[in-house]
Amino acid sequence: MKILIRLPNWLGDVVMSTAFINAVRQFYPGASIDVIIKKELGGVASLIPGISSIHLFSKHEYSGLNGVYRFGRTFRPAQYDIFFNLPQSLSSFVMAWASGARQRVGFNAEGGFFMLTRSFKKPANLHRVDEYLSLLENYTGRAAGDRQVKLSTGESSTAKNIVVVNFNSEASSRRMPLYKGRAIINTLTEVFTNITFVLIGAPKETAFVDELLIGAAHPQRLQNLAGKTDLAGLVKQMAESRAVLTTDSGPAHLANAVGTPTVVLFGAGNENNTAPYNKQQLTVIRYGELICEPCVRNTCKLYGLPKCMEMLDEIKIINALSLHLNDA
């Protein structure tokens, strides 16, 4: 059997889909499982266990619905038995239809049921991991067992006296305000005197990270890797760290998926739907005193700067990290 899976478009969602891929592998032992992923996220796909082939999709190379259709047609010679479509966009439905797969399975959205052979209503109020798994369960009529989200880093190594810090997010409502981030960094370096704090970020986030470090109290124990690592290198860095402190963003899911102790700072996002899935060594911190929490908006309409992030208790952050750094 040959199975093709169209993975989601966001980093965190790709990581959360690893439980779906693992369940497909369990339900269809011996099947060849290939994936389609955004070209920018291809480095993550190489860390997902059980994948036979990775197909990179670039909307710049295949622009518009016509480009998506042309890309989808490239899979026709392979004659896939099942195409599982995890995104819910029109373009992903067109891609599934163009692939010519015998069975095309996805959620019923944006008129996609016209291009799918089996479509299902997306369940409400589920965690994203369970949402993806529900698609497979509805299609097969079987319950998924192991629901662990996991990435493979290859070699295991001893954790170094490093804490990875990510204060970035695609959404401004989930990004740490600049002055608050500086205050937290200074507090961390004051309390944990034997730890090096490594700040990360995508190339487009380097300016923000540079600003965070202006006037740092202990610059000798801060390392700026923003824009200097690819996704595979970032995952390796996290796997070798004592802990990861991060906003609600893709890196939170990366850290959680490799088993590194992860402290996640939530603002606008709803942790019941999108928090890192594995509960082991996971701490979620939110302010929780505002009537607008969580608004799940990408921008803060009420305060401008997200007050839910501004009001986060630094003592709670210190206490959460202390559980993993108390011998440092």
Side-chain angles (χ1 to χ4, degrees):
M1 177 171 282
K2 301 179 70 174
I3 297 173
L4 183 59
I5 304 173
R6 172 67 163 95
L7 296 181
N9 292 317
W10 298 98
L11 175 58
D13 289 353
V14 169
V15 177
M16 288 187 279
S17 73
T18 60
F20 178 91
I21 297 169
N22 182 53
V24 170
R25 193 167 65 246
Q26 292 176 8
F27 284 10
Y28 300 96
S32 172
I33 301 174
D34 299 348
V35 300
I36 301 170
I37 190 170
K38 280 175 60 176
K39 190 172 185 178
E40 299 89 332
L41 302 178
V44 177
S46 64
L47 305 176
I48 302 175
I51 293 177
S52 300
S53 297
I54 300 169
H55 302 282
L56 305 179
F57 171 70
S58 170
K59 65 180 181 180
H60 301 294
E61 297 171 18
Y62 295 91
S63 61
L65 291 180
N66 181 57
V68 169
Y69 178 78
R70 287 189 292 107
F71 181 80
R73 283 189 63 87
T74 64
F75 297 104
R76 291 204 167 204
Q79 296 184 328
Y80 283 96
D81 296 289
I82 308 175
F83 186 118
F84 285 113
N85 186 58
L86 296 185
Q88 298 164 55
S89 63
L90 178 60
S91 63
S92 67
F93 295 133
V94 171
M95 188 183 295
W97 176 57
S99 73
R102 295 182 177 91
Q103 292 290 314
R104 301 181 298 279
V105 184
F107 289 118
N108 181 4
E110 292 198 20
F113 63 92
F114 288 113
M115 289 170 275
L116 301 174
T117 59
R118 296 287 302 278
S119 63
F120 302 92
K121 183 179 179 181
K122 187 181 77 168
N125 303 318
L126 283 186
H127 191 282
R128 191 68 45 81
V129 170
D130 297 317
E131 179 184 299
Y132 292 147
L133 286 171
S134 75
L135 181 66
L136 182 62
E137 291 173 330
N138 285 327
Y139 176 69
T140 62
R142 299 167 58 188
D146 182 9
R147 292 172 175 261
Q148 188 178 30
V149 169
K150 185 176 182 180
L151 295 174
S152 175
T153 57
E155 302 177 0
S156 59
S157 57
T158 303
K160 303 173 184 177
N161 274 357
I162 288 174
V163 170
V164 171
V165 178
N166 171 57
F167 283 160
N168 308 286
S169 175
E170 290 281 348
S172 62
S173 60
R174 295 165 172 82
R175 189 182 308 128
M176 185 64 66
L178 199 57
Y179 84 90
K180 180 71 173 183
R182 288 171 177 164
I184 292 174
I185 289 170
N186 283 337
T187 300
L188 293 175
T189 53
E190 288 287 346
V191 173
F192 302 109
T193 57
N194 294 324
I195 294 291
T196 297
F197 293 90
V198 177
L199 281 83
I200 61 168
K204 63 183 178 181
E205 296 164 338
T206 54
F208 175 73
V209 177
D210 288 343
E211 285 191 82
L212 276 173
L213 298 179
I214 294 174
H218 300 279
Q220 73 279 7
R221 287 194 287 109
L222 298 173
Q223 186 178 0
N224 185 354
L225 291 186
K228 299 175 184 177
T229 61
D230 57 17
L231 284 172
L234 176 58
V235 170
K236 185 175 186 296
Q237 176 75 70
M238 290 177 164
E240 295 176 347
S241 301
R242 298 281 295 273
V244 173
L245 173 65
T246 174
T247 50
D248 168 28
S249 57
H253 296 275
L254 291 175
N256 180 251
V258 297
T260 301
T262 308
V263 178
V264 191
L265 309 177
F266 263 80
N270 187 343
E271 59 269 38
N272 295 321
N273 300 121
T274 58
Y277 193 72
N278 302 325
K279 302 306 182 220
Q280 303 91 339
Q281 304 201 87
L282 171 69
T283 303
V284 170
I285 297 176
R286 74 155 53 252
Y287 178 54
E289 300 294 331
L290 301 173
I291 59 172
C292 54
E293 293 183 79
C295 68
V296 301
R297 295 177 179 271
N298 288 333
T299 58
C300 180
K301 302 295 185 181
L302 191 57
Y303 299 104
L305 281 178
K307 186 172 283 293
C308 51
M309 301 297 287
E310 289 183 303
M311 300 300 292
L312 286 170
D313 189 340
E314 294 176 27
I315 299 301
K316 288 184 178 180
I317 297 172
I318 296 300
N319 289 341
L321 287 174
S322 294
L323 296 175
H324 313 291
L325 306 177
N326 53 15
D327 61 341

